Amino acid sequence: MNTSLTKFCRDNKLSKTTVHRRCQELNLDITDGLNPVDLDMLMHEFDLKPVVEASPVTVEVGNHQIVLGAPQLPQTYTLEGLRVSEVQTYEDPLALAAQFINAADQLETSMAVDIQQREQKLQQTKQAAAAIAAKRQKLELEARLYQMETNRLHTATNAETVSLTEGLTALQSLGKSQD
């Protein structure tokens, strides 16, 4: 049977806002009240001892009835003798879970930042590659034009050199030999 959050807070003299906030942190579903497992968890969280309510006892007095006094019952019990094995557990599993979640959050943030930086580097690399490709294409065109222009200039220079050599040869043939 579930216990309402209001009853739990009233019975343990706790602020409903504080308990509600802690339930949210622990991801407890309290829409239908607190189930026994959730109650135990909250008792541990707020370091509470279970309240044992005395149940009313009705005694009917009648003929041939001997009423015995209540025996003294022990106030401390141990369950150790009933256990058949040992259990391994962490001292505070919720604190451990909180540490794990914190570390995981930091790791997720770091991964997101790294992805963003890598995406930025990819965009810069794409821009650089595009700029180089455009410049390389222009350079190849200029190199072909250079080859054509230098070939034209060499051909023209060679033709003029041949013409100059012919002119010099003609002039030399008119000159007197110095033997």
Side-chain angles (χ1 to χ4, degrees), residues 107-119:
L107 186 57
E108 287 175 353
T109 300
S110 296
M111 288 188 289
V113 167
D114 185 57
I115 290 294
Q116 186 179 18
Q117 289 171 343
R118 289 175 185 274
E119 183 65 36

Side-chain angles (χ1 to χ4, degrees), residues 8-169:
F8 174 79
C9 293
R10 183 179 60 239
D11 291 349
N12 294 289
K13 297 179 178 65
L14 295 171
S15 161
K16 187 174 179 181
T17 305
T18 302
V19 175
H20 187 266
R21 186 177 321 116
R22 191 64 186 139
C23 287
Q24 287 176 330
E25 290 170 359
L26 295 171
N27 293 324
L28 299 180
D29 181 15
I30 59 172
T31 53
D32 294 328
L34 297 165
N35 63 42
V37 173
D38 294 343
L39 277 174
D40 285 346
M41 187 181 296
L42 287 175
M43 295 294 281
H44 177 273
E45 284 293 312
F46 291 101
D47 198 26
L48 301 171
K49 305 272 187 262
V51 177
V52 178
E53 296 180 16
S55 58
V57 177
T58 305
V59 178
E60 294 181 7
V61 179
N63 293 333
H64 305 87
Q65 182 177 5
I66 300 173
V67 177
L68 301 174
Q72 282 289 33
L73 297 176
Q75 295 300 309
T76 305
Y77 296 90
T78 180
L79 300 176
E80 192 170 339
L82 299 174
R83 294 187 198 119
V84 292
S85 64
E86 291 183 356
V87 65
Q88 292 181 356
T89 184
Y90 290 100
E91 181 70 28
D92 190 351
L94 294 176
L96 182 61
Q99 289 175 350
F100 176 87
I101 290 168
N102 185 37
D105 287 346
Q106 290 177 8
L107 186 57
E108 287 175 353
T109 300
S110 296
M111 288 188 289
V113 167
D114 185 57
I115 290 294
Q116 186 179 18
Q117 289 171 343
R118 289 175 185 274
E119 183 65 36
Q120 185 179 16
K121 184 61 76 176
L122 171 62
Q123 293 306 318
Q124 291 171 347
T125 303
K126 282 182 178 180
Q127 288 175 340
I132 287 173
K135 191 63 173 180
R136 188 184 97 210
Q137 187 178 17
K138 184 177 180 191
L139 180 61
E140 288 172 351
L141 177 62
E142 290 296 326
R144 283 192 302 262
L145 291 174
Y146 174 80
Q147 286 175 342
M148 289 173 34
E149 188 63 19
T150 56
N151 188 37
R152 181 189 68 77
L153 291 171
H154 289 174
T155 302
T157 302
N158 285 340
E160 293 302 321
T161 301
V162 167
S163 175
L164 179 61
T165 302
E166 289 173 352
L168 290 173
T169 303

